[in-house]
Amino acid sequence: MTMAGNKRGPGPGRLIAGKKIPRHVAIIMDGNGRWAKKRYLPRIAGHRAGMRTLRKIVDFANEIGVEILSLYAFSTENWKRPPGEVEFLMRLPEEYLYKELPLLIEKNIVVRIIGEPAQLPARTQKAIKTALDKTQKNTGMILNFAFNYGGRTEIVHAVKTLCAEVGRGRLSVDEITENLFEKYLYSGGMPDPDLLIRPSGELRISNFLLWQLAYTELWFTDVLWPDFKKEHFWEAVLDYQLRERRFGGVSKF
Ligand code: FPP
């Protein structure tokens, strides 16, 4: 159900009726560490608070009719963090997925993963596999987690797979097009994000969905991820609705 134009409630009512809800929203969930620091708390308290935000935003995105929500949960660069923090970041998805699974199933949400899960601890992999298996028949919003994900690694992975196909004689170099290349990405088959949200005041892409973000609308806010509320999500979607996407073409007006 889309709530655009709905006059109930202060937020969704402000979305513009008849204007599209972004099909695919990607979020870089940043600012957990700074949120904790401001409160003299350990960084992991920020990640825990970030997980609470994640729950609310998944719910809200689903409610307004977003089809795919991609969340940057752990990058290939995040291994450089202190071991205790990495360990905590590996345990959080386990906690989230087991706790939320009944609700995700009830809400018809499909869990998907992009990245290299094979390098994650066995317990984390198991939780991911359970969530993938138990939601694979669902038909609603895709909740796409980027775990051990790097945009450049993804592109190199796609290139290697394509080269191997060419090497085996299953594909000729001339057959390689943008459309074909896209199929070899971890996100193969998913539409590109329409909207990227990055909280915490950083104005970077940070190796997230490098190929897929080519024509994505970018939306930044200074709000730290643990303080990010559904009101901020509305604001981003509303802003998106007011933008004109030309994809390299010219204005219709
Ligand atoms: C970036 O903030 C955040 C992360 C690297 C982890 C994001 C993880 C969560 C929101 C927890 C929930 C995850 C799942 C999958 C349940 P930062 O630590 O870089 O913040 P800083 O820039 O303020 O230090």
Side-chain angles (χ1 to χ4, degrees):
M1 175 189 77
T2 171
M3 292 181 74
N6 186 333
K7 295 291 170 249
R8 283 175 297 137
R14 285 172 44 221
L15 296 176
I16 303 169
K19 285 263 193 183
K20 275 192 186 154
I21 297 290
R23 280 184 77 190
H24 184 173
V25 179
I27 308 183
I28 301 178
M29 307 183 286
D30 195 17
N32 298 345
R34 276 163 285 169
W35 182 92
K37 194 172 176 196
K38 270 170 56 178
R39 288 161 179 77
Y40 304 100
L41 293 169
R43 292 179 55 82
I44 57 171
H47 296 313
R48 185 164 287 291
M51 187 168 84
R52 287 196 287 273
T53 298
L54 183 154
R55 273 202 195 105
K56 287 183 227 153
I57 296 304
V58 167
D59 230 32
F60 188 62
N62 187 38
E63 204 182 311
I64 67 167
V66 168
E67 291 174 32
I68 306 174
L69 183 66
S70 289
L71 300 170
Y72 207 3
F74 192 87
S75 78
T76 44
E77 288 70 36
N78 288 153
W79 294 107
K80 293 181 211 153
R81 294 183 177 220
E85 184 174 343
V86 170
E87 203 190 312
F88 190 78
L89 285 172
M90 290 298 143
R91 263 192 282 128
L92 268 191
E94 213 185 313
E95 187 183 321
Y96 171 82
L97 290 171
Y98 284 136
K99 221 187 252 173
E100 293 294 297
L101 202 52
L103 211 67
L104 296 176
I105 294 169
E106 190 194 308
K107 297 202 164 173
N108 197 23
I109 289 174
V110 186
V111 176
R112 293 269 300 265
I113 297 294
I114 52 172
E116 295 283 349
Q119 289 157 15
L120 300 174
R123 289 178 54 168
T124 318
Q125 285 191 48
K126 189 166 171 240
I128 292 172
K129 190 172 178 315
T130 306
L132 296 179
D133 290 349
K134 297 234 154 123
T135 63
Q136 67 172 345
K137 293 213 174 80
N138 289 354
T139 54
M141 185 178 83
I142 295 176
L143 177 55
N144 181 35
F145 284 108
F147 279 130
N148 194 24
Y149 173 90
R152 289 182 174 178
T153 308
E154 176 181 40
I155 291 170
V156 170
H157 175 266
V159 169
K160 282 184 169 168
T161 317
L162 270 169
C163 287
E165 294 285 86
V166 172
R168 287 190 202 105
R170 289 195 201 149
L171 191 71
S172 82
V173 170
D174 289 340
E175 284 175 289
I176 302 174
T177 59
E178 289 184 16
N179 273 344
L180 184 80
F181 187 80
E182 183 276 328
K183 293 187 174 54
Y184 286 78
L185 296 170
Y186 302 134
S187 62
M190 284 187 203
D192 290 341
D194 300 295
L195 174 65
L196 171 82
I197 298 175
R198 180 165 193 161
S200 95
E202 307 290 358
L203 306 178
R204 289 188 289 276
I205 301 301
S206 297
N207 205 15
F208 192 37
L209 301 173
L210 293 183
W211 173 278
Q212 299 88 335
L213 293 179
Y215 282 103
T216 301
E217 296 296 325
L218 309 179
W219 194 84
F220 298 99
T221 173
D222 287 339
V223 174
L224 303 173
W225 177 247
D227 289 329
F228 191 92
K229 309 255 176 316
K230 59 183 186 177
E231 286 82 352
H232 302 113
F233 199 90
W234 297 329
E235 222 179 302
V237 172
L238 183 64
D239 200 357
Y240 168 86
Q241 294 190 316
L242 296 170
R243 294 190 195 178
E244 186 198 2
R245 301 184 79 193
R246 292 192 297 277
F247 298 96
V250 291
S251 175
K252 281 187 242 153
F253 308 106

